[in-house]
Amino acid sequence: MSDAQKKEKSFQSGHKIIGKPLARHDAWDKVFGKTVYADDYFLPGMLYGKVLRSEYAAANILSIDTSEAEKLPGVKAVMTAKDVPNNETITRFGQTHSVGGFEGLYRILAYKKVRFRGEAVALVAAETEVIAQKALKLIKVDYKPLLGVFNPIEAKKPGAYKVGESESNVICSYKVRKDDVEKGFALSDVIVENTYRVPAQDHAYIEPESGVAWIDDDGVITIRVSTQVIEHFREVAEVLGLPHNRVRVIGTMIGGGFGGKEDITVESYLALLTWKTKRPVKLTYTREESILAHGKRHPYFMKYRTGATNDGKLMALEAELISDAGGYVYLSPWVLLYSTVGATGPYDIPYVKVDSYTVLTNNTFSSAMRGFGVPQVCFAYESQMDELALRLNLSPLEVRKKNYLKKGKAMATGRVLDRYVAFPETAEKALAALGEQSKPKSPAEKIGRGIASGMTSYGRMVFLHDTSRSYVGLDMDGSVTVRCGVQDLGGGQSSSLAQIAAEVLGVPMKDIKVYIADTALTPLAGTTTATRQLYMSGNATLKAAKEIKKNLLNKAADILEVKPESLDLQDKKVVVKEAPDQTIPLTDVIATCASDGIPLYNVAQFNAPFRELIDFKTGQGQVFPDFTFGTHAAEISVDVETGKVKVLKLVACLDVGKAINPLSVEGQLEGGTIQGLGYALMEDVVLKKGVTLTPSLSEYLIPTSLDVVDIDKVMLESGDGLGPFGAKGVGEPSVTSIAPAVVNAVCDALGIRIFDLPLTPEKIVKALKKS
Amino acid sequence: MILSEIRLHSPQSLAEAFKLLEELKEARIAAGGTDLFVDMKQGLIEARDIISLQKIEDLRGIGKEDKGIRIGAMVTAQEIISSSLINQHIPALADAARSMASCQIRSMATIGGNISSAVPSADLPPSLIAADATVELRCSESFREVTLTKLFAGPRETICQTGELLTFIFVPFPPPNTGISYQKFALREANALAVASVASRLTLKDGKIDRVAVVLGAVAPTPIEALKTSEFLSGKEPSQSLFEEASLMAKKEAKPISDIRGSIWYRKELISILTRRALTEALLQAQRKSRTKE
């Protein structure tokens, strides 16, 4: 190859920074413990806030006496519902385009009635944490315990105890109807019918909820908080009766969110206490308080009836889904919608009937958690597929291959999949990656293998008219500043933006500075939820950076007297593509642009496709922008005497579209796999009459590093995603199908099926004894 | 409970410690602190004064004596795991130590603390009892030696009096042709309390079971010896069917409660499985020892 050819090749060779496994720009700080999190902030004159929480899951509040607490030296504020300017709000959904229906009552502090154990009843701010703790004990609340209801099936029945004020416990329900499902069953040779149950799961982030608030020199209530949604500044302003721009939320680096910091956690309490005392206030939950007080993954009861022909073709699916919303509405209607749309899984089924309900109970409220209703139904439909495989004498892979959706085919909701669908590819690759089956090491051990496929949306529901904004600016010396409201969960959300800007502008990563998550100073990028940030703020940043590049290349084209299309940016130079040694230093072009008044900054807005609400009576229409498809495979060994499951091999195979930073994507795949493994084998927020029996991480078990094996990560890059450079989202898709893969493996080993999670050793032994 | 409000005392010798115990009757004793500080932070224990034993050299060290091994109360779980003496003579104790908590906690947790806290699911007591271990309880004036079974009075209760400290544990060398095994069942691979555990010691003589001990952990208010089971096994020829029968007897001697980690039924199931496995492993060890002699 000649030198010129080599140069041209290096020029056209793909991306310089995108697709490279890079340590995130914040990685080393995290390793060395230098990263500052919400609880690390201290301000002069700061007070400590604490929350008094309800002892009872269901009770009337007859009276609250705060006089003793107020008298305690060092106590600066004690607040109850009557002290909150606007204590009640209606849960709205969507940060810009509000969607009507399914509004639920939501209170900052309990008023006259408590609806779950741990509900906030009063707030205290004091000079020290010890004093605040003592003050809590001095608040006298007179409760009248009520009956309560603790099971959504019970709560759904007419005449059940009313959790709310007077409205029905059934918050909402959806239907999907595709033709007449009975026709489908009539055409089926085999029908499999089962009821599946999944428990509440806790996010168990390493960083509990935390924040510090103060009033700045202009009287703006400023809240520095670990949150996935800085846009809550609007709700907080409304609680205080202030204009929106008089509340500022600054998001900190988050030590794990997973959806648990998607709703307002400490923001309102902080705002109230600082507003009342006029002093800075800090509030950090203990782990036990976090487990007690924040929303959980929705428990579901799922009745599935699946029909197929003898050669494995699915004919009919009938599902009834009931979720436990807990004491307040929060995001239950939306989680239910995700489950309803996802209830059929990635399969082409001609006759479908789905009915779903979400129901209030006096359990801890349920809300967003990684997967948002999809992991639950995936457990059900992937268990059904394996049951069908058994009945039909087909392998799990074979029965799935006969039914996978393809590009161009429609889901049961009528939505046509218009982009590449990585099935059966991910299933074949995942199974192959398991390699040769391991041999049992003792007579009590049985080995089993399982796969499970999932399809998980990325990007928000399209009727929310999602948008995101990002600012990119080039400084005189060629260094770059990105300002974006994106909240960084630890998933590399801010680092990705640096990579995108670096790629487009030809500037090294170390010269890019990203400022994030400040409602006053960074363009709002929307929530870090719904696996949307790479797609949305990534695209906004891409758009902004491209605009600057256009201006630079146009000016350079003038200078060099060539066409702009023949130029590119590389290593802080403008380069002629055909003759790479013809360059101008970037700083020269910048200087010329500056003096000619050409803008070298851009604030871009990226809009996701806007659609309207689907018809909830038939469930027909488009709900999501796109999906990520993947399959997990697992090999396990079970000790048939003790029921203990040991994980031998785990494979996560997903089509990620384009891995902007492969290291980050691998991190998501690993984390998602482990979180799903916990869901399958050991995680269970156990509530008895609304009281938690797993109050700390000693009882609520999550996998330790010794419970996991190296996870084989097989990333496919179809390039067919809607995100920058063809990327898809992976944050939630990485957790969807791992639990059913593990369960399928256990059931393969044991020859029996277990229908509810988690598969504890005791449950396994009991099931074996029964069979 | 905010730890900064507490007065920490660090005596440099046993004498100093006893003096402090005299003066501060309400003080709590901290060995590794891995149990005490957790309870204090949760508000389960309130104390103004803590007497730390960290600086007392006399409480440290693992030593070989004529008749057995002497282990200082402040020896950590990690030190037990890495001790060649213990691995050579009572490997079951090292196994038990390895099954505790996590490596971080094992570097701080002490054998004295694990015994004194008297938590029914504690990992070190069952194999110590199976090995006929004794402890020394010492106060400023006197000392007494107590077998480990006698030490435990109930959940989180020992016969240790105020002013007394557990100073060392003595484990006699197991007789020839003896195997000791510790089997623990927990719900995950680390940081998990025993749902049920069994330690078994088996001595062979002329191909028959001479002396045998079966100790059950986490299934009664204290670790208990399954006396009917060991009586049944004594003098008999070892076999899988014998061990099966023995394990069913042990199941009956267990008195577990139901809690979040396991039901009564399941804990009893575990006891029978673990007893059989402990006896099997102890037998293998005993047989190996007799072979090396030949």
Side-chain angles (χ1 to χ4, degrees):
Chain A
M1 209 191 283
S2 75
D3 277 313
Q5 279 174 311
K6 274 197 205 136
K7 281 197 175 123
E8 210 194 41
K9 193 171 200 297
S10 83
F11 216 77
Q12 281 155 10
S13 69
H15 304 296
K16 328 270 178 313
I17 295 173
I18 299 296
K20 301 278 177 287
L22 296 173
R24 290 190 203 147
H25 71 323
D26 49 62
W28 286 109
D29 278 356
K30 287 182 177 176
V31 170
F32 289 125
K34 288 189 191 159
T35 305
V36 181
Y37 293 95
D39 188 53
D40 295 320
Y41 287 92
F42 289 85
L43 287 164
M46 189 173 83
L47 297 170
Y48 291 83
K50 284 250 173 244
V51 184
L52 179 70
R53 299 185 178 281
S54 160
E55 287 298 307
Y56 295 94
N60 280 330
I61 298 179
L62 300 176
S63 67
I64 308 180
D65 180 2
T66 58
S67 53
E68 286 304 311
E70 289 175 53
K71 283 193 217 127
L72 189 66
V75 170
K76 298 300 171 196
V78 182
M79 303 177 79
T80 61
K82 61 171 174 35
D83 304 307
V84 182
N86 294 304
N87 191 48
E88 290 184 357
T89 51
I90 303 296
T91 318
R92 241 178 290 129
F93 197 56
Q95 277 59 43
T96 44
H97 181 83
S98 286
V99 179
F102 323 127
E103 279 111 6
L105 178 67
Y106 156 57
R107 295 191 176 103
I108 310 301
L109 294 176
Y111 180 63
K112 287 195 176 160
K113 189 179 184 183
V114 289
R115 291 158 62 154
F116 70 96
R117 183 165 187 271
E119 184 173 350
V121 174
L123 302 175
V124 164
E127 297 283 0
T128 71
E129 238 188 299
V130 180
I131 297 173
Q133 196 70 52
K134 290 193 178 141
L136 286 187
K137 295 206 177 101
L138 295 174
I139 301 175
K140 297 191 199 48
V141 185
D142 194 6
Y143 291 105
K144 174 164 164 257
L146 298 170
L147 205 58
V149 65
F150 303 101
N151 176 306
I153 296 175
E154 287 308 307
K156 193 166 166 277
K157 295 187 178 147
Y161 169 87
K162 288 224 159 66
V163 175
E165 310 312 294
S166 58
E167 71 277 25
S168 159
N169 287 335
V170 179
I171 298 168
C172 71
S173 66
Y174 303 116
K175 291 188 202 313
V176 175
R177 296 287 184 267
K178 182 179 179 189
D179 214 313
D180 177 359
V181 79
E182 290 309 324
K183 280 202 198 134
F185 285 120
L187 291 167
S188 306
D189 298 310
V190 160
I191 298 178
V192 171
E193 187 167 350
N194 291 302
T195 302
Y196 298 91
R197 201 198 147 256
V198 290
Q201 187 181 19
D202 190 276
H203 307 72
Y205 16 69
I206 196 168
E207 179 205 26
E209 296 79 348
S210 178
V212 179
W214 68 95
I215 303 179
D216 81 359
D217 301 335
D218 284 323
V220 172
I221 307 241
T222 311
I223 307 169
R224 201 192 286 276
V225 59
S226 178
T227 178
Q228 296 174 235
V229 181
I230 56 177
E231 273 91 342
H232 286 313
F233 75 94
R234 301 182 185 119
E235 275 112 310
V236 175
E238 285 171 15
V239 168
L240 292 177
L242 295 171
H244 289 180
N245 66 357
R246 304 302 288 175
V247 174
R248 174 181 175 191
V249 174
I250 305 172
T252 54
M253 271 303 213
I254 306 168
F258 311 118
K261 294 169 182 166
E262 177 169 340
D263 296 303
I264 290 180
T265 58
V266 296
E267 294 92 314
S268 305
Y269 308 146
L270 284 170
L272 282 165
L273 288 173
T274 200
W275 169 79
K276 182 85 197 284
T277 60
K278 309 281 181 275
R279 286 170 64 170
V281 181
K282 165 182 285 211
L283 176 54
T284 299
Y285 286 1
T286 62
R287 172 65 58 190
E288 290 75 9
E289 188 173 8
S290 176
I291 293 179
L292 177 68
H294 86 253
K296 306 284 177 271
R297 184 189 291 290
H298 284 75
Y300 269 71
F301 291 85
M302 303 173 283
K303 247 201 255 186
Y304 264 69
R305 200 168 163 233
T306 317
T309 61
N310 273 329
D311 45 80
K313 182 77 197 71
L314 288 171
M315 276 292 129
L317 188 145
E318 183 177 356
E320 184 196 63
L321 314 173
I322 301 178
S323 79
D324 183 345
Y328 284 92
V329 173
Y330 282 89
L331 297 170
S332 296
W334 311 112
V335 175
L336 189 71
L337 184 61
Y338 273 63
S339 306
T340 309
V341 171
T344 47
Y347 302 112
D348 189 8
I349 313 176
Y351 300 91
V352 176
K353 179 182 184 209
V354 181
D355 289 290
S356 61
Y357 308 87
T358 183
V359 190
L360 290 171
T361 66
N362 291 101
N363 293 323
T364 313
F365 70 93
S366 307
S367 196
M369 182 167 177
R370 195 172 189 177
F372 210 78
V374 176
Q376 291 94 320
V377 291
C378 187
F379 168 60
Y381 63 68
E382 285 302 85
S383 298
Q384 287 290 92
M385 290 305 272
D386 264 31
E387 284 291 281
L388 273 172
L390 267 176
R391 287 279 293 274
L392 296 169
N393 235 322
L394 293 168
S395 77
L397 180 62
E398 274 177 292
V399 75
R400 286 171 173 81
K401 278 172 88 159
K402 295 209 173 194
N403 294 288
Y404 279 129
L405 286 165
K406 289 202 260 285
K407 177 170 173 180
K409 287 251 159 186
M411 296 166 64
T413 54
R415 190 238 209 252
V416 174
L417 292 175
D418 49 357
R419 306 179 88 85
Y420 179 66
V421 177
F423 296 125
E425 200 185 344
T426 56
E428 286 167 338
K429 293 210 160 100
L431 195 53
L434 281 181
E436 229 184 274
Q437 177 139 340
S438 305
K439 304 257 183 312
K441 293 215 176 80
S442 79
E445 250 183 64
K446 284 218 162 91
I447 311 270
R449 307 189 133 191
I451 58 169
S453 295
M455 82 186 254
T456 317
S457 61
Y458 66 93
R460 303 190 81 187
M461 294 175 281
V462 292
F463 42 79
L464 293 175
H465 296 192
D466 201 12
T467 59
S468 185
R469 286 144 290 277
S470 185
Y471 163 102
V472 180
L474 199 50
D475 218 314
M476 299 300 292
D477 65 349
S479 62
V480 177
T481 302
V482 177
R483 293 191 195 116
C484 184
V486 68
Q487 293 87 188
D488 194 314
L489 281 190
Q493 282 83 2
S494 60
S495 203
S496 303
L497 303 187
Q499 263 184 290
I500 291 166
E503 181 69 41
V504 174
L505 297 173
V507 169
M509 286 282 281
K510 63 174 182 54
D511 288 346
I512 314 234
K513 171 85 187 112
V514 183
Y515 291 95
I516 59 168
D518 187 330
T519 61
L521 301 177
T522 59
L524 295 178
T527 63
T528 298
T529 65
T531 309
R532 68 180 278 287
Q533 280 295 4
L534 180 60
Y535 169 42
M536 300 297 293
S537 63
N539 270 329
T541 304
L542 185 64
K543 208 170 158 187
K546 279 185 169 164
E547 196 55 34
I548 298 169
K549 180 173 181 175
K550 192 171 88 188
N551 291 355
L552 283 169
L553 295 187
N554 282 341
K555 180 54 66 182
D558 279 347
I559 298 171
L560 291 172
E561 291 173 342
V562 293
K563 290 213 173 77
E565 303 82 70
S566 64
L567 299 174
D568 203 350
L569 295 171
Q570 197 178 12
D571 299 327
K572 286 180 125 170
K573 296 194 264 287
V574 175
V575 183
V576 178
K577 287 196 246 195
E578 307 287 310
D581 24 278
Q582 258 204 280
T583 67
I584 316 178
L586 184 64
T587 44
D588 285 2
V589 186
I590 290 174
T592 313
C593 284
S595 99
D596 288 355
I598 311 277
L600 290 176
Y601 72 90
N602 191 267
V603 182
Q605 172 160 319
F606 176 79
N607 293 356
F610 288 1
R611 303 277 184 275
E612 297 318 313
L613 268 180
I614 60 168
D615 177 1
F616 289 127
K617 286 202 211 74
T618 54
Q620 297 299 306
Q622 181 184 356
V623 178
F624 302 108
D626 194 18
F627 298 92
T628 297
F629 305 97
T631 304
H632 277 94
E635 184 185 84
I636 55 93
S637 83
V638 193
D639 179 328
V640 298
E641 293 181 325
T642 63
K644 185 92 169 281
V645 173
K646 189 150 177 253
V647 179
L648 300 176
K649 296 183 188 160
L650 289 172
V651 182
C653 180
L654 268 73
D655 172 14
V656 306
K658 174 81 193 154
I660 302 292
N661 182 344
L663 273 186
S664 268
V665 178
E666 284 187 0
Q668 288 298 305
L669 293 181
E670 286 190 0
T673 300
I674 297 169
Q675 206 164 28
L677 187 67
Y679 190 47
L681 296 178
M682 60 182 78
E683 293 188 44
D684 191 354
V685 180
V686 181
L687 290 172
K688 204 166 167 184
K689 288 216 172 307
V691 180
T692 182
L693 300 178
T694 52
S696 78
L697 293 180
S698 177
E699 301 85 21
Y700 182 80
L701 300 180
I702 66 176
T704 67
S705 59
L706 296 185
D707 295 289
V708 187
V709 293
D710 279 343
I711 297 162
D712 201 345
K713 302 161 284 279
V714 182
M715 284 191 285
L716 305 181
E717 291 183 282
S718 64
D720 214 5
L722 296 174
F725 306 99
K728 285 171 172 255
V730 285
E732 289 173 288
S734 55
V735 84
T736 298
S737 45
I738 175 65
V742 171
V743 174
N744 284 342
V746 174
C747 298
D748 177 48
L750 300 177
I752 56 166
R753 176 134 313 253
I754 300 177
F755 301 95
D756 57 280
L757 297 182
L759 258 53
T760 59
E762 181 163 350
K763 216 177 261 185
I764 290 177
V765 173
K766 281 203 173 113
L768 281 170
K769 293 248 183 246
K770 249 201 212 147
S771 69
Chain B
M1 163 123 274
I2 305 299
L3 296 179
S4 56
E5 295 204 316
I6 292 161
R7 286 190 298 245
L8 182 70
H9 309 268
S10 293
Q12 313 263 7
S13 68
L14 272 173
E16 228 187 293
F18 288 130
K19 196 151 163 287
L20 281 167
L21 281 168
E22 238 333 286
E23 288 168 22
L24 309 163
K25 296 270 197 274
E26 299 295 320
R28 299 297 299 230
I29 301 167
T34 56
D35 196 34
L36 179 71
F37 293 139
V38 174
D39 285 348
M40 290 182 79
K41 277 164 123 180
Q42 301 219 305
L44 296 170
I45 296 180
E46 306 238 346
R48 295 247 69 195
D49 294 282
I50 295 185
I51 301 171
S52 164
L53 304 178
Q54 289 283 335
K55 296 222 171 97
I56 305 177
E57 279 309 307
D58 282 345
L59 295 175
R60 294 190 183 277
I62 303 173
K64 185 176 180 178
E65 301 193 338
D66 269 346
K67 299 232 172 77
I69 299 177
R70 181 195 151 116
I71 309 171
M74 287 298 285
V75 167
T76 63
Q78 184 51 45
E79 285 167 342
I80 291 175
I81 291 166
S82 40
S83 154
S84 46
L85 263 177
I86 289 181
N87 278 292
Q88 192 188 349
H89 297 281
I90 8 157
L93 186 63
D95 287 340
R98 222 173 273 118
S99 76
M100 280 169 73
S102 63
C103 57
Q104 296 91 330
I105 294 174
R106 293 195 289 265
S107 68
M108 299 287 295
T110 64
I111 183 170
N114 193 245
I115 294 171
S116 308
S117 66
V119 173
S121 57
D123 286 303
L124 300 181
S127 48
L128 286 169
I129 294 172
D132 279 336
T134 56
V135 300
E136 180 188 85
L137 300 176
R138 185 176 273 267
C139 63
S140 52
E141 261 103 70
S142 59
F143 63 90
R144 52 182 175 144
E145 207 171 304
V146 171
T147 61
L148 210 46
T149 23
K150 290 231 174 63
L151 181 71
F152 299 113
R156 292 191 165 273
E157 247 190 271
T158 64
I159 60 169
C160 208
Q161 310 272 6
T162 330
E164 258 185 327
L165 280 176
L166 192 159
T167 49
F168 67 82
I169 297 95
F170 180 76
V171 186
F173 290 123
N177 307 326
T178 300
I180 308 180
S181 167
Y182 178 65
Q183 300 287 322
K184 168 184 180 175
F185 184 82
L187 295 174
R188 62 182 177 189
E189 296 302 300
N191 274 335
L193 295 179
V195 180
S197 64
V198 175
S200 173
R201 188 200 69 232
L202 200 146
T203 308
L204 287 176
K205 193 173 179 185
D206 301 324
K208 293 215 171 79
I209 296 172
D210 182 19
R211 289 180 62 217
V212 59
V214 177
V215 185
L216 314 180
V219 289
T222 67
I224 53 172
E225 289 191 70
L227 293 169
K228 294 204 185 90
T229 308
S230 43
E231 223 183 279
F232 166 76
L233 286 163
S234 196
K236 299 206 170 70
E237 219 173 286
S239 73
Q240 269 311 301
S241 53
L242 182 74
F243 289 166
E244 282 288 342
E245 260 191 271
S247 67
L248 291 173
M249 292 187 76
K251 187 173 168 178
K252 292 209 184 87
E253 295 194 71
K255 297 180 185 3
I257 55 165
S258 258
D259 69 13
I260 190 75
R261 294 179 182 93
S263 65
I264 294 174
W265 173 84
Y266 182 58
R267 288 178 137 122
K268 286 189 167 177
E269 282 299 305
L270 287 173
I271 287 294
S272 86
I273 297 162
L274 298 175
T275 301
R276 204 192 70 232
R277 292 182 182 180
L279 288 168
T280 307
E281 192 179 83
L283 176 67
L284 272 169
Q285 264 183 47
Q287 287 169 334
R288 229 179 283 138
K289 292 241 172 91
S290 10
R291 272 199 296 277
T292 56
K293 287 265 179 69
E294 286 156 22

